[in-house]
């Protein structure tokens, strides 16, 4: 009979799964031409990551998971869900000190969700702010990562 894993081992696996699912979902977010199967996988990976982070992560991990969920749902036209998750993330990053790239992503996510939900004013306001903040990201690698995802959000 197999020995049951310890709670530490379970936590380690939860974190590994959270990171792996998060990375896969972001990889798919950055693609301009996702297949229907990849759309399905992107949403599942984003939700799986959020579920695992809810078990082993911090409030920051949860906020980042909400940002990913908001963007993923917005990009596939699920405006109401995208807006729900985007607002949770945006509120967190507005109330906590965050690096420049997270502020830019919070606005980009809200812009995408606004567009998907049919709110052109929200889309325009947050797209402009995301563009401004994204161009000002100090670290070149962080800026490149942001710009790959931001490119998936149409300009108002």
């Amino acid at each position: 009979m197999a020995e049951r894993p310890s709670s530490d081992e379970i936590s380690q696996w939860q974190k590994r799964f959270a990171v792996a699912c998060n990375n896969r979902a972001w990889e798919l977010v950055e693609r301009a031409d996702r297949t229907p199967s990849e759309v399905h996988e992107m949403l599942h990976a984003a939700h799986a990551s959020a579920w695992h982070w809810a078990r082993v992560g911090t409030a920051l991990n949860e906020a980042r998971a909400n940002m990913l969920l908001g963007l993923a749902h917005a990009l596939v036209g699920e405006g109401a869900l995208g807006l729900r998750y985007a607002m949770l993330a945006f509120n967190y990053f507005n109330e906590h000190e965050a690096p420049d790239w997270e502020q830019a992503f919070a606005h980009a996510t809200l812009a995408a969700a606004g567009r998907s939900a049919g709110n052109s004013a929200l889309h325009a306001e947050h797209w402009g702010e995301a563009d401004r903040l994204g161009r000002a990201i100090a670290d070149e690698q962080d800026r490149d990562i942001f710009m790959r995802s931001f490119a998936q959000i149409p300009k108002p």
Side-chain angles (χ1 to χ4, degrees):
M1 185 185 258
E3 189 176 315
R4 182 172 173 85
S6 71
S7 33
D8 284 345
E9 289 171 318
I10 292 170
S11 292
Q12 289 172 354
W13 280 105
Q14 293 274 13
K15 185 173 181 179
R16 286 182 187 138
F17 292 141
V19 169
C21 292
N22 175 77
N23 291 345
R24 180 60 178 154
W26 277 110
E27 179 185 322
L28 292 167
V29 161
E30 292 174 359
R31 288 194 187 167
D33 56 344
R34 289 176 296 277
T35 66
S37 177
E38 289 170 332
V39 167
H40 187 73
E41 181 184 356
M42 178 180 67
L43 292 172
H44 279 303
H47 279 279
S49 178
W51 186 84
H52 287 291
W53 280 127
R55 271 126 196 92
V56 294
T58 64
L60 176 59
N61 296 124
E62 183 178 350
R64 288 175 176 165
N66 284 330
M67 191 159 34
L68 175 56
L69 286 166
L71 189 52
H73 281 286
L75 291 175
V76 301
E78 296 175 353
L81 269 176
L83 202 51
R84 175 179 170 233
Y85 289 118
M87 285 303 301
L88 289 169
F90 185 80
N91 289 340
Y92 177 89
F93 290 112
N94 246 2
E95 296 167 4
H96 297 84
E97 195 169 317
D100 53 5
W101 63 270
E102 282 183 320
Q103 290 295 329
F105 264 114
H107 283 280
T109 301
L110 201 48
R115 181 180 188 281
S116 184
N119 186 330
S120 57
L122 188 69
H123 174 220
E125 175 187 349
H126 290 281
W127 193 96
E129 192 63 7
D131 185 50
R132 183 184 72 75
L133 292 170
R135 292 178 191 280
I137 295 172
D139 182 83
E140 185 177 351
Q141 184 178 3
D142 288 343
R143 188 172 52 255
D144 288 346
I145 291 168
F146 170 78
M147 289 301 183
R148 281 196 309 267
S149 295
F150 188 54
Q152 304 313 310
I153 305 167
K155 187 175 183 177

